[in-house]
Amino acid sequence: MENIPIKMPNFEPGTVWVVGAGPGDPGLLSLLALHGIQNADVIVYDALVGEDIIRFARENAVLEYAGKRGGKPSPNQKDITDRLVVLARDKKRVLRLKGGDPFVFGRGAEECLRLAKENISFRIVPGITAGIGGLAYAGIPMTTRGTNSAVTFITGHNASGEVPDDINWKALADGAPALIFFMGMAHIGRIADQLKEAGRSATEPVAIICKATMPKQQVLISTLQNCAADVAASDLIPPALIVVGDIVNFREQLDWLTSG
Ligand code: SAH
């Protein structure tokens, strides 16, 4: 990969690249993300970024973990942004590596706002969000002409770990034919109940996609009425996406990963 025949921007010392690592499979990294990882002096990475991706770092790069691990409290967002500022001021090439896309439920905006405020140059390298890559690896199309003309990404989890209060379930039930919940596993029963109460059919198909694009990807197919019990009875391990809508039915024909 040394001679990528594409002109890549210089990773200047004293700048920060905020990079999306994609959902897990290293093959889903962009060339720009790989270039950044290979040239960074310091990589500050999150829990969702796997070893398979970190290993592209230079041999003498410093790797700093910024996620939750082993029951220890995670560094708070302020500590992480403070750290990025210190490293950049120290003239390092700083790579902030996040799972999926940095701007999709990834707090990338908060970090970039701080860098902007401190007058530190940064670049944002988008990644394939789990909400897109995960569906592709489960054989579930985001849209088909027959099922949905819109897709909605929703977080199932607010800053205090609860289902956000400001979700308009009625509007979602009426106007969002394909729903993709991030961080929803802990509250799947509540999510399913709210959608049913707001008018969605109890038999509507649901897919739970765990560890999407990783070697241990698991997909559970259920319905709105059964999904909470099915998850409770399963051995599914987060991270997981919850997909609600008729697009889920296509998996039967499009599951290229496990049926091939
Ligand atoms: N920025 C990330 C999302 C961060 S929020 C992105 O764009 O993908 C964390 C949530 O993302 C997880 O709780 C889960 O819902 C989802 N997620 C991330 N990676 C995943 C994966 N490999 N498989 C399934 N869900 C994933």
Side-chain angles (χ1 to χ4, degrees):
M1 292 303 278
E2 278 306 297
N3 296 312
I4 298 174
I6 295 175
K7 180 101 183 76
M8 289 286 168
N10 277 339
F11 197 159
E12 302 290 347
T15 67
V16 180
W17 285 23
V18 180
V19 175
D25 182 344
L28 296 177
L29 280 173
S30 69
L31 293 178
L32 206 46
L34 181 62
H35 173 72
I37 294 168
Q38 288 175 329
N39 288 283
D41 298 315
V42 185
I43 299 181
V44 181
Y45 66 101
D46 276 351
L48 287 171
V49 180
E51 274 299 309
D52 288 1
I53 286 172
I54 303 291
R55 74 187 165 86
F56 293 119
R58 282 187 358 219
E59 209 170 302
N60 55 352
V62 176
L63 306 178
E64 294 192 8
Y65 181 73
K68 281 188 185 139
R69 179 175 283 169
K72 287 193 197 140
S74 56
N76 67 34
Q77 194 61 44
K78 180 164 183 312
D79 292 344
I80 297 169
T81 36
D82 283 351
R83 184 74 189 136
L84 298 179
V85 170
V86 166
L87 290 168
R89 294 248 157 87
D90 201 23
K91 294 284 167 252
K92 302 285 190 246
R93 297 176 186 85
V94 186
L95 189 121
R96 175 71 175 112
L97 193 56
K98 292 171 163 287
D101 181 273
F103 275 4
V104 177
F105 302 131
R107 309 191 69 174
E110 288 164 65
E111 295 179 16
C112 293
L113 284 167
R114 174 76 189 285
L115 296 171
K117 192 169 155 215
E118 304 280 350
N119 281 320
I120 292 169
S121 305
F122 59 92
R123 165 181 286 268
I124 298 158
V125 181
I128 296 179
T129 176
I132 291 180
L135 269 70
Y137 274 51
I140 298 173
M142 301 286 291
T143 66
T144 76
R145 283 191 293 176
T147 51
N148 58 316
S149 49
V151 177
T152 308
F153 286 175
I154 307 148
T155 174
H157 194 121
N158 64 15
S160 48
E162 294 306 316
V163 179
D165 293 328
D166 60 354
I167 296 180
N168 183 337
W169 296 99
K170 187 78 185 115
L172 285 181
D174 290 347
L179 303 157
I180 300 169
F181 288 91
F182 290 66
M183 297 176 275
M185 273 287 259
H187 304 298
I188 187 165
R190 165 113 196 266
I191 289 169
D193 287 347
Q194 298 274 16
L195 288 172
K196 281 184 292 173
E197 269 168 42
R200 294 294 271 252
S201 159
T203 57
E204 184 162 350
V206 173
I208 322 292
I209 311 173
C210 297
K211 294 190 182 269
T213 83
M214 297 176 186
K216 291 190 175 148
Q217 172 173 306
Q218 292 171 290
V219 181
L220 176 86
I221 301 297
S222 183
T223 59
L224 271 186
Q225 72 189 338
N226 294 336
C227 60
D230 287 349
V231 165
S234 75
D235 59 352
L236 294 179
I237 299 169
L241 296 161
I242 304 169
V243 185
V244 181
D246 288 339
I247 50 172
V248 168
N249 290 330
F250 286 92
R251 174 171 162 82
E252 228 175 280
Q253 297 157 79
L254 301 183
D255 175 23
W256 56 273
L257 186 67
T258 57
S259 70

